[in-house]
Amino acid sequence: MNPIFALIDCNSFFVSCEKVFQPHLEGQPVIVLSSNDGCAIARSNEAKALGIQMGAPLFKIQNILRKNRVKVFSSNFSLYGDMSARVMETLKTFSPSLEVYSIDEAFLDLSSLREEELFSYGSQIRKIVKLWTGIPVSIGMGSTKTLAKVANHIAKKHPFGCYVLTKLEDIEEVLRTFPLQEVWGIGRQWSKKLSYVGLRTAWDLAQADIDWIRKTFNLSLARTALELKGLPCSNIEGLVSSKKSIISSRSFGKSVKSFEDLQEAISFHASKVAQKLRQQKSVTALLNVFIRTNPFHAEGAYYTNSCIVPLIFPSQDTAVLIKAARAGLEKIFNKGLDYKKVGVMALSLASEDQIPVSIFQNSKDLLKRQTLLKTLDKLNGQFGRDSLFFASEGVHKTWCSKVSLKSPSFTQDWTQLPRVR
DNA sequence: TCTGGGGTCCTAGGACCC
DNA sequence: TCTGGGGTCCTAGGACCC
């Protein structure tokens, strides 16, 4: 039985999510902005056709937006997360083996199908996903994940939205004109290096000697080359592995000078990190607190600094993390600068039940804290996040990011359900 | 004026151990 | 006085992904 991987990728995912609840957007140029309304991170086909690039800063494309009446949205990540879950649930019905690769992509194992069945099965998946969730997807299939990714590129431009890349002659034809930079795992820097030694297309890499690649470059690239040859080096990873590090960070809407505001923001991020730790049942032993000024500003030197704060006992307690993060901030804060971004990172994670209780900790107190935090999470789950928070996170949060054009919480708030007239 | 956030993996080099 | 090889662990930094 030959392995067959399918890569299902949602088309212009964030934009498609907005369209599901606002059907009048169909056929119009639409973009979704990154947080802080910084740049375009999702574009409808109509917006792409206007020349709006992925990651284009908002202020550079204002003219195009105005002239063409492009509909612009701030990102609404809780909506996208919800829609993503619906798509993944639907995909599960098509194969017992599903790997959720990102918010808008998943691999399916379709090895049990006969080659001649693949295309119609793919078309069926597209149809059902669209019917059940409203989200359009493209599907690429190949004997390795990397080839499935290549096939997906083609599917995106294909009228049927599904492309099967399994025949040897098709693979050669496609790879011969497929730029290396588009290959999964090879970015700008690598493709530049590879072009120095004469490798420019995916076919070039697939033909190269594996040992030479391994010795001259590295193992990852050798794996990619093998996958392009049709030899799988990676399988479907069904289990959701827990994160090895957790970050919360955000740019400020306006730059921030005051230590007190930074303290609030750092506390806010520490609290978010603690919440995520509890969600995946982990504890952290090490925090990294970082702050920086605006790297794009010409005047004033760019300042960025970070500080590692070890915790005495591994923890997932909001109060413990806030205290540690604030201590870190004190060490790296430089008075008089305009800060643009801060964040907190949790490293050295471990499972919460792997941690022995230290003899220096009072187990009664620990239990009390756990109950308190559980209650906090429960209430926030019930009444919406940030219904209940630590005072040190700040009440007014004047340093908050800009979010001016967010769509309603269609799927999370009864009062914001879409109305049908 | 205005440029995202959250991850993973790999490698090199240093410290330390036997 | 001189001399070795192999291993682990940690960290920083680079590159990549969506």
Side-chain angles (χ1 to χ4, degrees), chain A residues 144 146-147 180 183-186 190 194 199 202-234:
Chain A
T144 66
T146 306
L147 285 173
L180 265 181
V183 174
W184 190 34
I186 300 180
W190 276 113
L194 291 168
L199 305 181
W203 183 249
D204 294 339
L205 185 59
Q207 296 308 298
D209 181 73
I210 293 297
D211 290 330
W212 175 77
I213 296 280
R214 164 80 187 92
K215 277 185 207 132
T216 320
F217 301 100
N218 66 21
L219 187 60
S220 313
L221 196 68
R223 279 201 203 115
T224 300
L226 282 169
E227 290 235 325
L228 286 172
K229 283 177 195 288
L231 302 164
C233 298
S234 155

Side-chain angles (χ1 to χ4, degrees), chain A residues 366-381:
Chain A
L366 212 58
L367 204 64
K368 261 193 194 162
R369 294 294 307 174
Q370 281 171 354
T371 315
L372 177 70
L373 293 164
K374 260 190 200 138
T375 312
L376 173 75
D377 291 338
K378 202 174 151 193
L379 287 173
N380 280 332

Side-chain angles (χ1 to χ4, degrees), chain A residues 302-327:
Chain A
Y302 175 49
Y303 174 77
T304 172
N305 206 350
S306 65
C307 174
I308 296 274
V309 190
L311 302 183
I312 303 169
F313 307 114
S315 178
Q316 52 175 207
D317 186 331
T318 308
V320 172
L321 266 62
I322 287 181
K323 199 172 162 203
R326 285 182 157 225

Side-chain angles (χ1 to χ4, degrees), chain A residues 148-391:
Chain A
K149 275 267 189 185
V150 170
N152 194 279
H153 261 265
I154 301 171
K156 281 240 167 68
K157 288 161 199 154
H158 205 277
F160 296 124
C162 177
Y163 188 82
V164 180
L165 186 60
T166 45
K167 293 197 181 68
L168 286 179
E169 59 269 27
D170 290 347
I171 294 176
E172 176 169 352
E173 193 191 327
V174 166
L175 295 192
R176 272 190 186 280
T177 56
F178 203 80
L180 265 181
Q181 201 184 316
E182 306 291 316
V183 174
W184 190 34
I186 300 180
R188 256 219 329 262
Q189 304 299 327
W190 276 113
S191 60
K192 211 159 96 188
K193 274 186 204 168
L194 291 168
S195 79
Y196 290 143
V197 295
L199 305 181
R200 291 196 172 77
T201 67
W203 183 249
D204 294 339
L205 185 59
Q207 296 308 298
D209 181 73
I210 293 297
D211 290 330
W212 175 77
I213 296 280
R214 164 80 187 92
K215 277 185 207 132
T216 320
F217 301 100
N218 66 21
L219 187 60
S220 313
L221 196 68
R223 279 201 203 115
T224 300
L226 282 169
E227 290 235 325
L228 286 172
K229 283 177 195 288
L231 302 164
C233 298
S234 155
N235 276 311
I236 300 283
E237 314 238 349
L239 291 178
V240 182
S241 53
S242 49
K243 304 260 182 289
K244 294 170 184 170
S245 63
I246 286 175
I247 300 180
S248 174
S249 74
R250 203 87 45 189
S251 304
F252 297 128
K254 280 191 295 212
S255 57
V256 168
K257 254 196 168 75
S258 102
F259 182 66
E260 289 70 33
D261 281 349
L262 287 183
Q263 268 190 322
E264 276 187 17
I266 285 289
S267 305
F268 171 80
H269 291 304
S271 164
K272 283 280 162 289
V273 166
Q275 206 178 307
K276 290 186 193 179
L277 282 168
R278 295 195 293 271
Q279 237 169 45
Q280 73 158 33
K281 301 189 188 305
S282 294
V283 289
T284 176
L286 216 55
L287 289 188
N288 186 11
V289 180
F290 61 91
I291 57 178
R292 70 171 198 219
T293 58
N294 194 333
F296 297 101
H297 265 200
E299 82 269 17
Y302 175 49
Y303 174 77
T304 172
N305 206 350
S306 65
C307 174
I308 296 274
V309 190
L311 302 183
I312 303 169
F313 307 114
S315 178
Q316 52 175 207
D317 186 331
T318 308
V320 172
L321 266 62
I322 287 181
K323 199 172 162 203
R326 285 182 157 225
L329 174 67
E330 272 182 40
K331 288 196 185 156
I332 52 179
F333 175 71
N334 227 338
K335 213 175 158 188
L337 300 179
D338 286 322
Y339 292 96
K340 185 60 184 168
K341 182 174 180 176
V342 300
V344 174
M345 201 184 297
L347 306 163
S348 289
L349 307 192
S351 160
E352 63 183 6
D353 41 50
Q354 269 172 9
I355 301 300
V357 175
S358 157
I359 52 166
F360 299 109
Q361 283 170 297
N362 181 333
S363 58
K364 228 179 181 175
D365 283 353
L366 212 58
L367 204 64
K368 261 193 194 162
R369 294 294 307 174
Q370 281 171 354
T371 315
L372 177 70
L373 293 164
K374 260 190 200 138
T375 312
L376 173 75
D377 291 338
K378 202 174 151 193
L379 287 173
N380 280 332
Q382 218 168 330
F383 297 106
R385 50 189 194 139
D386 298 333
S387 300
L388 197 60
F389 57 90
F390 281 64

Side-chain angles (χ1 to χ4, degrees), chain A residues 35-37 249-254 269 397-404:
Chain A
S35 48
N36 211 26
D37 291 349
S249 74
R250 203 87 45 189
S251 304
F252 297 128
K254 280 191 295 212
H269 291 304
K397 299 190 175 66
T398 47
W399 40 268
C400 235
S401 300
K402 271 183 295 191
V403 185
S404 49

Side-chain angles (χ1 to χ4, degrees), chain A residues 26-37:
Chain A
E26 198 55 56
Q28 301 209 37
V30 182
I31 62 171
V32 172
L33 302 174
S34 63
S35 48
N36 211 26
D37 291 349

